[in-house]
Structures are given as structure tokens and as C-alpha cells.
Amino acid sequence: MLVEELGEFGLIDRIKAHLKIEDIEILGPGDDTAILPFSEEKVLLFTADMLLEDVHFNPTFSTPYQVGWKSIAANLSDIASMGGLPRYALISLGLASNTPVEFVDELYRGMEEIASRFGLRLVGGDTNRSEKMVISVALLGECEKEYVCERSGAKVGDKIVISGFTGESEAGLICLKRRLSRDLPNMEAMVKKHLEPYPRLNEARRLAEKKVVCAMIDLSDGLSNDLHQLTKSSGVSARIFLDRIPISEGVADLSQRLKLDPFDLILYGGEDYELLFTTSDEENLPQLEIPLSIIGEIIPPEDGVLQIDKEGRKKRLPLKGYRHF
Amino acid sequence: MLVEELGEFGLIDRIKAHLKIEDIEILGPGDDTAILPFSEEKVLLFTADMLLEDVHFNPTFSTPYQVGWKSIAANLSDIASMGGLPRYALISLGLASNTPVEFVDELYRGMEEIASRFGLRLVGGDTNRSEKMVISVALLGECEKEYVCERSGAKVGDKIVISGFTGESEAGLICLKRRLSRDLPNMEAMVKKHLEPYPRLNEARRLAEKKVVCAMIDLSDGLSNDLHQLTKSSGVSARIFLDRIPISEGVADLSQRLKLDPFDLILYGGEDYELLFTTSDEENLPQLEIPLSIIGEIIPPEDGVLQIDKEGRKKRLPLKGYRHF
């Protein structure tokens, strides 16, 4: 059998079986971040992500500064989803021999810029020769035990909440691919959200400190995909109400222009790096600088993950979105 | 300017400048492992290495089990050189879609096998689609502050010591490349040293606990190259006596057969993962299961890194060996 036949999640399950992870504190692949013992009050958060040229970024769309920024942003978002604080990162680079040195300078400038905004220190790494560029980031964070958010904590009856707007990163990518003029309304902002995403670390930390989160995940692979991840980890199902998912002006506008279904963008578009969490305490959600929207609720596992349209008709929410294989 | 013109060390220096590392505890690229605050008694060791298909391993020579083994071994060797103990690793994989799943199974079996021998736990990672295979390992270890060995601690007058034999991994690679029959004397062992290197974690730990080490590095890029690294980090120079460097039977035999200069192998061959360290306390070196050889001494920086042949003639030891660009 080939990896592409098994699919990403099949592959992850197979790797998990190898890891023989009995320890509840160690999450393993598919959970993105391992929780490791540190001190009496705190745990270490340990996460790694690899970005590959032409798979995760396209040098004709992104400046090297943006590639550097995004490679760190993706990892920071994993720490955000745990309620943690980032501390240290190692960068392993694979670069072609004929890469201009200025490219490396700009790559690091992007990394340093986002790192400094979130208290992260880049403490080393490794450089290698490679035909296609590879950027592998390993990141260490920490979190007080009482604040740790996992994706496995959702309970029946919890409300499902998202931060900000989904689909914007995908809309930005469409603008880039179709070479649409960026001075159309909101396009510049959506392109920027795709190329220089801003991880919701501060927002996630506020939520964690207020202890209103039952389960949390960051939206890297699309709302549908990541909701399936969360419900699977928690052993529950979910129903979301399509008319409660906010649609940004930019997504609405682009969908109309290009005759796209906006729900294809907001449900299945990846790399928004917004937060998806569940809460049993929705009256006490903190006031954040980005909107929080209650889009549905957690239901028993046997019901399946459902979408309900504005007429009240329900159907399965397909597990699709960004796939690695 | 291109990366290949700058060279690996030039690139590392340039990246270091970006990192603005003032902290003495954080080493940054070129030192392979960052030393991070952990507790009153201990530090965290944080290291990462990337292995690329056709650069670091060749699937026609290596079984997937061996690729997995070696990817972990290289990182364990970095922890060994600090006197530390490995704890947790994350594996980020880039795999072609048409990779057989059995390949992934065998890769993980090799990783698990070496991990379990050294108390390392594989706690997660990331999988991605990539044309060429990429394996990126990030490893966390720990070390009591009093046992930490750095490459910057060498002082004038220290003796220079190596463990085991150098050049064997390179000799093994030559056997593979020239398709020499492996039943020639010692060839099987040298090929195995190339494909399944055994990191000197236990030996390094014994040395660290005995506090006989002033500076230590693992031999990944060749004796000459890594000696230059150590002396540069310590702000000193060194002289080594060629007739005190042990030459294994296998290297001697292969050199004679193929009319190679054995010193090309023992000075410049990479990936032996032996230890190179300096000591001011050579009477108290512990008895290990592998031989330790005193091959030279640390001298003032202005003298340069020198090799002295058996007639007592001295010349510069060239900085060459395995180069990444």
C-alpha cells in the first residue's frame, strides 16, 4: 500500500501505533503538540512543523520575509491552541546552493519579526543543501498546568466557538493564483492573511487564563477538518449552524465575483490560524479584539458531525479540506 | 552573493548575527545544541537536524530501518557531546505520495529501536508530501548544570582525546559506492558504522560525570573539521600528532587495497560520531569499553591548528571534510 492510498490521517494513525504512547501527557502526531513534564506548576509544550517549497509556499507569491514569518506563525498557532506561551525555536533549513544570501537574510528577518512580537527566541538550528527549499521549525513553549487546553476536552452540550473569520486565507490564495488586482475591496487584507497570518496567541491565552475552554484547536486545515479532529479526539460529535458562521465582506465579495459558494471557503479553506474551541461557560467569554462567534454545539458521538442550513435541514459535514497526501 | 559562495560556516555566521544571541546559555547554529534554563540543578538541551534524501542518505545503500536509525543517531550524538541525557523527540517527515507504507513502518522501527536503547521517547511530529524524502528530528535532552560539556571550554595545555577510531564511516561509504564485496575483512563492520552509527552517549556521560572534560564535540563532519570547530569556539589552537591517531585494521586494509592515504580517511572522513574532547586531567580518564587516545594538545590561538608527522615536521591542518554547501 502507498502513503497516498492510506491518506494523511491513516498515516498518522499508523505512526501513532509505532510510538506506543500510553502516557496521557504525550499526545503524539495528529495532536501537533506534545505536553511534557516540566515542573510542579508547568508543562513544556513541544511542537514541530515542516514547510516545503511548492507544497506550503510558493516563492512566486511570497517574499522570503513572508515565508519566514509564516513558518514561525504556523508553529506559534499550535502553541496558541494549547493556551501556552512560546519560548524557544530551532530552525532547520534546506537551501539550494544557488540561493542568494539576501534571501536567507530576508527569511530570518521575517522569522525574527514575528518571534519578537510574541516573546519567542530563535536559538539555533541546522543548515543543509537541498534542491527544493525546506524549513523545519521546532518550538518549545510552556504553560501552567491549570491553563492547558487540549483538543480532547469537549463534552456534550458545550457550545462551539470560532474567533474571527474563516475562508479569508483561502480567498487570499485564490486572489494570488488568479492574479486578481489587489486593489479590489478587502483583497489586500485577505492576501496578507494568507501570506503573513497572525497567530491568535494573545487571544488564546486570555481564554485559557479565564478557564472558559473545554477543548481547543487552531484552524490550520479548515473549519470542517479541524472540527472533525477535535470531535474525534474528544469522542463526541458536533452540529454547526451555517447561518451562525460569520462571513467576512471580503469572502462574500470574492465569492460573488467569481461565482463561488462562500461556504466552500469558510468550511474548507485552510490556514486561517483562527481558534476553534468549545465552552460550557459562554456567558463568561472574555471581550477580545477579534469577534467570537458561537456556531454550534457538541452532541453525542453517534449523531455524527452535522451542518444545519438556515431552513433547519441537516446533513453530514464532509471531512474535507487541506490534505497533505 | 549565493549561499555556495558564502559556504556553510559563512552562512552560519550570518544567521548567528540575525539571532542576536547575547545570552551565554544559548549557543545558536554552529553549536548544534542550545542550552536552555530548566531548573535550579538542570538545563534543557535542544537540538535539531535535518536529513535529506541523496544528500545525507541514499535509499539504494540504506534500508529504511537504517535511515530511521541514523536520523536519530545523529541527534543523539549531539546530546552526547554535551554530556546530557536524551528525553523526547519530534519527527517531521516529508514523503513522496507513492512511498510504500511498509517503508514508513521500517523507518519508524529503526527510530524506535535506537530510541529505546537510550531512553529516548518519540512523542510526535508532522507528516508532509515531498518529492524527495526529508526527515527532520528535534530532540530535547537534559543535563545537570555541573556536567554540561561545551565545545568552548578548551584551555592551552589541555590534552586532546578521541574515542574509538575515525575514518571508518567514510571507509564504509567507499565500500558501498564501489560495490566492494562485504566479506573482505572488517568491511561489514565499517559499512554498519556508516549506516547504523552508534552514538557515544554512555561513554560521554561517564566522562561528564567524572568531570574530566574541558571541551567536547562529536565527530560528525570529520576530525579536522570538528577540531577546527572546537578550537574556534574556545579561542585556542591545537597540534595533533599523526602517529598517535589510531588507525583501525579495516581502514588500514582498505587504504592499502585502494591505494588511498589512510590519513585522508581518519582526518577528513565524516559521520563517525566518535567523541573529541580536551582534558587537563588525563590521569583520571575513566576506563571505557572503547579505547581513548590522546592525539595532541591545545596551544595558544596564534599558533594555528597544526599536524605533526612522525618525523616531527609540522604543517597546518587544512579545514576540510564534509561540507554542506
Side-chain angles (χ1 to χ4, degrees), chain A residues 140-210:
Chain A
L140 265 185
E142 59 182 56
C143 191
E144 298 78 0
K145 285 179 182 171
E146 58 178 334
Y147 295 156
V148 174
C149 304
E150 297 181 49
R151 58 178 72 170
S152 57
K155 298 176 305 294
V156 173
D158 282 1
K159 296 286 184 272
I160 299 167
V161 188
I162 58 168
S163 69
F165 297 93
T166 61
E168 294 200 295
S169 175
E170 183 75 22
L173 179 60
I174 291 171
C175 294
L176 286 168
K177 282 185 174 168
R178 302 200 184 182
R179 299 177 191 284
L180 301 181
S181 162
R182 292 202 200 170
D183 41 62
L184 294 173
N186 307 301
M187 289 213 182
E188 189 62 34
M190 294 194 300
V191 166
K192 183 160 179 170
K193 192 161 176 182
H194 181 71
L195 297 176
E196 293 173 57
Y198 207 83
R200 300 304 188 192
L201 266 166
N202 299 334
E203 293 79 6
R205 185 70 187 171
R206 291 274 306 281
L207 293 165
E209 287 174 355
K210 252 203 139 180

Side-chain angles (χ1 to χ4, degrees), chain B residues 47-272:
Chain B
T47 185
D49 262 313
M50 184 183 278
L51 274 83
L52 294 145
E53 183 178 342
D54 296 340
V55 178
H56 298 96
F57 61 90
N58 182 327
T60 58
F61 295 155
S62 308
T63 65
Y65 175 93
Q66 290 169 328
V67 173
W69 174 287
K70 192 167 176 175
S71 66
I72 298 290
N75 280 275
L76 288 176
S77 186
D78 284 330
I79 298 293
S81 74
M82 312 291 293
L85 296 168
R87 288 289 178 247
Y88 305 103
L90 294 175
I91 319 295
S92 294
L93 287 181
L95 294 171
S97 301
N98 64 353
T99 305
V101 171
E102 293 70 26
F103 185 101
V104 182
D105 288 344
E106 279 297 295
L107 189 76
Y108 264 88
R109 196 171 66 80
M111 289 181 180
E112 271 296 328
E113 179 59 38
I114 184 168
S116 69
R117 294 205 199 175
F118 291 106
L120 174 70
R121 297 194 59 181
L122 309 183
V123 295
D126 181 33
T127 56
N128 303 280
R129 180 169 46 82
S130 170
E131 272 167 63
K132 295 266 179 184
M133 200 188 325
V134 188
I135 305 170
S136 185
V137 177
L139 204 147
L140 265 185
E142 59 182 55
C143 192
E144 298 79 359
K145 284 179 183 171
E146 56 178 333
Y147 295 156
V148 174
C149 303
E150 298 183 47
R151 58 178 71 169
S152 56
K155 298 177 304 295
V156 173
D158 282 1
K159 295 288 184 267
I160 301 168
V161 188
I162 58 168
S163 70
F165 297 94
T166 60
E168 292 200 296
S169 174
E170 183 74 23
L173 180 59
I174 291 171
C175 294
L176 288 167
K177 282 185 174 169
R178 302 201 184 181
R179 299 177 192 285
L180 300 181
S181 161
R182 292 204 201 168
D183 41 65
L184 292 175
N186 307 302
M187 290 216 180
E188 189 62 35
M190 295 194 300
V191 165
K192 183 159 179 170
K193 191 159 177 184
H194 181 71
L195 297 176
E196 292 174 57
Y198 207 83
R200 300 304 188 192
L201 267 166
N202 299 334
E203 294 78 7
R205 186 68 187 170
R206 291 273 307 282
L207 292 165
E209 286 175 356
K210 255 204 136 182
K211 298 188 185 173
V212 290
V213 173
C214 296
M216 187 149 64
I217 192 170
D218 65 315
L219 292 178
S220 54
D221 294 341
L223 174 51
S224 169
N225 208 325
D226 290 318
L227 178 60
H228 275 94
Q229 292 291 316
L230 184 144
T231 53
K232 187 183 169 198
S233 296
S234 296
V236 296
S237 284
R239 66 172 161 223
I240 58 172
F241 299 92
L242 297 183
D243 57 356
R244 298 192 199 161
I245 307 175
I247 303 181
S248 74
E249 249 182 71
V251 167
D253 187 58
L254 186 80
S255 300
Q256 203 171 23
R257 248 171 233 278
L258 302 180
K259 304 200 192 324
L260 303 171
D261 180 352
F263 287 103
D264 270 347
L265 297 175
I266 65 173
L267 292 174
Y268 309 115
E271 299 194 315
D272 284 304

Side-chain angles (χ1 to χ4, degrees), chain A residues 26-44:
Chain A
I26 295 173
L27 299 174
D31 280 273
D32 293 346
T33 303
I35 305 176
L36 305 173
F38 185 30
S39 69
E40 212 156 297
E41 299 82 33
K42 290 183 178 181
V43 292
L44 279 179

